[in-house]
Amino acid sequence: ITLMSSWKEVRKVIKDDPRFSKFSSSDRKREREFNDYIRDKFVAAKADFRTLLKETKFITYKSKKLLEDTDGHHLKDVEKLLEKDKRYLVLDCVPEERRKLLMSYIEDLDRRGPPPPPTASEPTRRTVK
């Protein structure tokens, strides 16, 4: 079952499972439940992918300029780095959506600019007397 599986495809696979008939006698209810499940999985997969992007130190506020300067070669490097992670692979069935999330994240980092130095956000450690 992928994030793009349809109810008809999945129904053919699970119709012989005893849990399928015990779940509900209404096919509409089963279909609605399946669609809710897939939607929730898709939302969770996108959130996990965003977390992965935040964890990836290779992607910085300079990435957008690198993309423009290297004629997309930097994007291939980023994707090659990410493709080892399960959170990237889950979205294989929707590569255009995954690419859109990645580009949106890079543009957001570019808009925000360089992060503040670590000392700028830390409270003063010395006590004032």
Side-chain angles (χ1 to χ4, degrees), residues 30-81:
R30 286 187 274 216
E31 183 176 1
R32 193 175 327 113
E33 194 65 35
F34 170 77
N35 289 332
D36 290 345
Y37 170 77
I38 290 295
R39 190 177 323 107
D40 292 347
K41 293 294 270 183
F42 190 61
V43 168
K46 286 180 4 180
D48 289 345
F49 183 65
R50 283 189 202 97
T51 303
L52 170 64
L53 293 176
K54 287 176 186 170
E55 291 171 2
T56 307
K57 301 297 181 209
F58 190 66
I59 305 171
T60 65
Y61 70 97
K62 298 176 183 176
S63 291
K64 185 171 183 184
K65 186 164 177 17
L66 279 171
L67 283 175
E68 294 163 357
D69 293 348
T70 61
D71 201 28
H73 186 68
H74 181 66
L75 185 62
K76 290 176 185 160
D77 292 343
V78 168
E79 287 180 331
K80 195 173 286 184
L81 181 72

Side-chain angles (χ1 to χ4, degrees), residues 8-21:
K8 288 180 180 181
E9 295 168 355
V10 172
R11 186 170 179 238
K12 289 176 188 174
V13 175
I14 64 172
K15 68 180 179 189
D16 295 330
D17 191 316
R19 293 173 290 185
F20 176 73
S21 55

Side-chain angles (χ1 to χ4, degrees), residues 98-109:
R98 182 175 58 197
R99 174 70 63 94
K100 203 184 326 177
L101 287 168
L102 175 59
M103 294 309 296
S104 157
Y105 179 70
I106 289 173
E107 288 169 10
D108 185 43
L109 284 178

Side-chain angles (χ1 to χ4, degrees), residues 90-127:
V90 167
L91 293 172
D92 266 352
C93 56
V94 284
E96 62 284 338
E97 180 74 20
R98 182 175 58 197
R99 174 70 63 94
K100 203 184 326 177
L101 287 168
L102 175 59
M103 294 309 296
S104 157
Y105 179 70
I106 289 173
E107 288 169 10
D108 185 43
L109 284 178
D110 181 59
R111 253 192 321 276
R112 284 193 264 153
T119 54
S121 60
E122 277 187 42
T124 331
R125 292 186 183 187
R126 283 186 251 150
T127 57

